[in-house]
């Protein structure tokens, strides 16, 4: 998720902790409350500390980012270790004002630190990028495929209770800025369907007014409950969308030899929109590997395919991520009432196996790439892309590789993540 969402989650955890202490008769000083808030935010952001080394420092080009962002710092092991380190610092800072430290405060600080680091991993799991939290015991990637990477609903439900609970001008000003920023993004960037924009704007007026009438603990609780309900709603819609896609694939075969084996379905909702989704389907039919893109309306009686396609004409959801592949072709599957296929890209499985055997860069990249596609650029070079993030050239998930010559990686630090497409590899 985006870093603002992570920070909001950490603040909600910190506020809930302060309310819990106060309900038990513990007096929380301004410094201690500030410590809780800062700790919640820092802990919720801390797993992204891998950005310090996942770029040029590794001297691996784009591969350094692909393989090491959401890497070792996004594991349960690091979540626990980093929470302990942050707790020690927070405990030291909270006691520097000379006020007596309540007996419960150190334990609550530890809980906030741990919930903050774990919340980061949990939130990153909810989208299609994925995490592998159980390393070193298990290097498999896990994907929620449910929440857009910058989800406006989460900002809108979290900011008002946090805003009214902040006593200081700085905190309120910062939260107010982010509230206005997400509304501006919803209105101006063209990523959100027009009817969803209306619903979000109405909510952005009514929810803050409702929060203003509540007491501080109730505000925090309602913000966390609304956040949970929104996330559960997206997951329920995602599962229905995935079933719709698999049913559409199953209904496209003319006979046993024509049936495609679905290897994976990548799903991304429209921002703020449970009813319109984009899908990438990785499938195998005999010895051919295919990536197909689609629009999905999991609840056509409420939000039809026609309404989805007209609502998203461009942007991250409206565009076909396979555009830019010269071998892009017509869809290989039949449409249904819930699924409109956009295009497909196919290649013999043996061509992927050959690339892995001949190029170390491809073998390394496949520890990350969930929807690998590629094409020749001429002049002895190849562009390998993860179709989740587009294939138009210059994207963060693309690498250019020479087709001949020695391996270009020098002493690479290749982590042991299980390749998402391991079923295609020897």
């Amino acid at each position: 998720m985006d870093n603002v969402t992570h920070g909001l989650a950490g603040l909600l955890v910190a506020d809930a902790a302060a309310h819990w202490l106060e309900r038990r008769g513990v007096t929380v000083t301004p410094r201690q409350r500030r410590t809780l808030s800062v700790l919640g935010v820092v802990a919720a952001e801390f797993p992204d500390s891998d950005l310090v080394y996942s770029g040029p420092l590794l001297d691996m080009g784009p591969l350094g980012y692909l393989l090491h962002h959401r890497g070792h710092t996004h594991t349960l092991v690091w979540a626990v270790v980093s929470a302990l380190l942050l707790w020690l610092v927070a405990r030291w800072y909270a006691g520097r004002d000379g006020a007596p430290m309540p007996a419960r405060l150190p334990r609550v600080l530890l809980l906030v630190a741990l919930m903050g680091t774990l919340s980061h991993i949990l939130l990153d799991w909810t989208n299609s990028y994925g995490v592998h939290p159980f390393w070193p015991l298990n290097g498999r990637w896990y994907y929620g495929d449910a929440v857009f990477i910058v989800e406006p609903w989460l900002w809108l439900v979290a900011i008002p209770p946090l805003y009214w609970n902040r006593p200081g001008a700085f905190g309120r000003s910062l939260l107010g800025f982010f509230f206005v920023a997400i509304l501006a993004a919803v209105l101006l960037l063209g990523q959100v369907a027009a009817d969803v924009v209306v619903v979000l704007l109405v909510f952005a007026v009514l929810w803050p007014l409702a929060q203003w009438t509540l007491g501080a603990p109730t505000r925090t609780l309602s913000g966390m409950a609304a956040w949970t309900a929104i996330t559960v709603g997206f997951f329920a819609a995602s599962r229905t969308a995935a079933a719709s896609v698999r049913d559409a694939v199953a209904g496209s075969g003319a006979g046993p030899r024509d049936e495609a084996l679905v290897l994976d379905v990548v799903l991304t909702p429209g921002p703020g929109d449970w009813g319109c989704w984009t899908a990438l389907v990785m499938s195998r039919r005999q010895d051919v590997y295919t990536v197909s893109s689609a629009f999905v309306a999991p609840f056509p009686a409420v939000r039809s395919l026609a309404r989805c396609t007209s609502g998203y004409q461009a942007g991250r959801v409206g565009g076909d991520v396979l555009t830019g592949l010269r071998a892009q072709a017509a869809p290989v599957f039949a449409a249904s009432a819930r699924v409109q296929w956009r295009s497909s890209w196919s290649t013999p499985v043996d061509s992927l196996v050959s690339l892995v055997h001949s190029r170390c860069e491809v073998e390394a990249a496949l520890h990350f790439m969930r929807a690998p596609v590629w094409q020749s650029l001429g002049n002895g070079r190849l562009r390998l892309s993860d179709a989740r993030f587009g294939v138009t050239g210059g994207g963060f998930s693309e690498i250019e590789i020479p087709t001949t010559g020695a391996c270009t990686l020098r002493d690479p630090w290749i982590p042991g993540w299980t390749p998402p497409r391991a079923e295609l590899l020897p």
Side-chain angles (χ1 to χ4, degrees):
M1 299 295 291
D2 67 279
N3 289 102
V4 173
T5 301
H6 286 303
L8 295 174
L11 269 182
L12 284 172
V13 169
D15 279 11
H19 301 323
W20 185 88
L21 286 169
E22 290 167 344
R23 286 178 65 87
R24 280 150 185 79
V26 177
T27 300
V28 182
T29 68
R31 185 184 189 89
Q32 292 164 354
R33 184 179 295 275
R34 188 164 58 250
T35 302
L36 282 168
S37 296
V38 173
L39 176 62
V41 172
V42 172
E45 304 284 2
F46 208 61
D48 275 345
S49 56
D50 57 16
L51 292 171
V52 173
Y53 65 84
S54 62
L57 189 63
L58 291 175
D59 195 26
M60 293 174 63
L63 267 175
Y65 182 85
L66 296 184
L67 295 176
H68 291 284
H69 179 49
R70 295 206 186 183
H72 298 89
T73 63
H74 286 65
T75 63
L76 296 180
V77 170
W78 175 253
V80 173
V81 171
S82 59
L84 288 171
L85 294 174
L86 293 172
W87 170 67
L88 291 173
V89 175
R91 183 176 178 177
W92 165 79
Y93 180 80
R96 287 194 65 201
D97 61 355
M101 182 174 293
R104 286 191 171 102
L105 184 58
R107 295 194 295 271
V108 170
L109 287 171
L110 178 59
L111 184 62
V112 169
L114 187 57
M115 290 183 67
T117 56
L118 291 175
S119 74
H120 188 112
I121 298 172
L122 183 63
L123 286 171
D124 278 356
W125 164 70
T126 62
N127 54 51
S128 62
Y129 196 117
V131 290
H132 32 73
F134 304 116
W135 178 91
L137 299 178
N138 178 0
R140 175 188 166 190
W141 288 87
Y142 292 85
Y143 311 96
D145 288 324
V147 181
F148 195 74
I149 196 166
V150 182
E151 177 45 56
W153 278 114
L154 298 182
W155 290 41
L156 293 179
V157 300
I159 291 175
L162 292 170
Y163 178 91
W164 292 122
N165 282 351
R166 304 263 85 68
F170 175 76
R172 285 193 171 188
S173 297
L174 192 60
L175 288 165
F177 167 79
F178 286 125
F179 195 78
V180 172
I182 194 63
L183 292 178
V186 165
L187 284 168
L188 302 176
L189 296 185
Q191 299 285 335
V192 185
D195 49 354
V196 176
V197 170
V198 173
V199 175
L200 289 169
L201 291 178
V202 171
F203 182 85
V205 173
L206 298 180
W207 182 249
L209 292 176
Q211 290 294 311
W212 179 65
T213 67
L214 302 176
T218 307
R219 288 181 193 132
T220 302
L221 181 61
S222 65
M224 297 177 83
W227 185 305
T228 302
I230 287 165
T231 303
V232 169
F234 274 113
F235 269 93
S238 173
R239 298 306 173 256
T240 304
S244 301
V245 169
R246 292 179 182 274
D247 289 345
V249 173
S252 298
R257 287 182 58 82
D258 294 318
E259 292 179 358
L261 172 65
V262 175
L263 305 175
D264 197 2
V265 179
V266 177
L267 288 162
T268 302
D273 195 344
W274 286 274
C276 298
W277 297 70
T278 62
L280 277 174
V281 181
M282 279 62 70
S283 61
R284 179 172 182 170
R285 178 177 281 145
Q286 298 183 35
D287 293 324
V288 176
Y289 162 63
T290 300
V291 180
S292 303
S293 59
F295 233 124
V296 187
F299 311 109
V302 178
R303 197 161 175 77
S304 67
L305 266 174
R307 194 169 182 181
C308 286
T309 54
S310 64
Y312 295 95
Q313 295 291 330
R316 177 71 179 83
V317 177
D320 183 355
V321 293
L322 297 182
T323 299
L325 289 171
R326 286 190 294 275
Q328 181 189 19
V332 298
F333 302 121
S336 72
R338 298 184 178 188
V339 181
Q340 179 182 2
W341 300 99
R342 289 166 158 177
S343 62
S344 294
W345 175 89
S346 299
T347 190
V349 173
D350 286 346
S351 65
L352 175 59
V353 175
S354 176
L355 279 175
V356 170
H357 285 164
S358 62
R359 299 305 313 177
C360 70
E361 302 90 344
V362 175
E363 192 278 333
L366 290 185
H367 287 275
F368 167 81
M369 292 191 174
R370 187 181 179 189
V373 297
W374 60 93
Q375 63 183 349
S376 173
L377 299 177
N379 300 319
R381 299 192 69 80
L382 182 83
R383 177 182 293 143
L384 176 68
S385 310
D386 190 323
R388 287 178 292 174
F389 311 109
V391 295
T392 55
F396 81 91
S397 69
E398 299 183 329
I399 57 173
E400 291 191 11
I401 306 165
T403 55
T404 59
C407 176
T408 59
L409 300 178
R410 299 289 182 265
D411 299 320
W413 180 20
I414 308 298
W417 321 138
T418 302
R421 296 279 65 83
E423 67 277 287
L424 296 176
L425 304 177

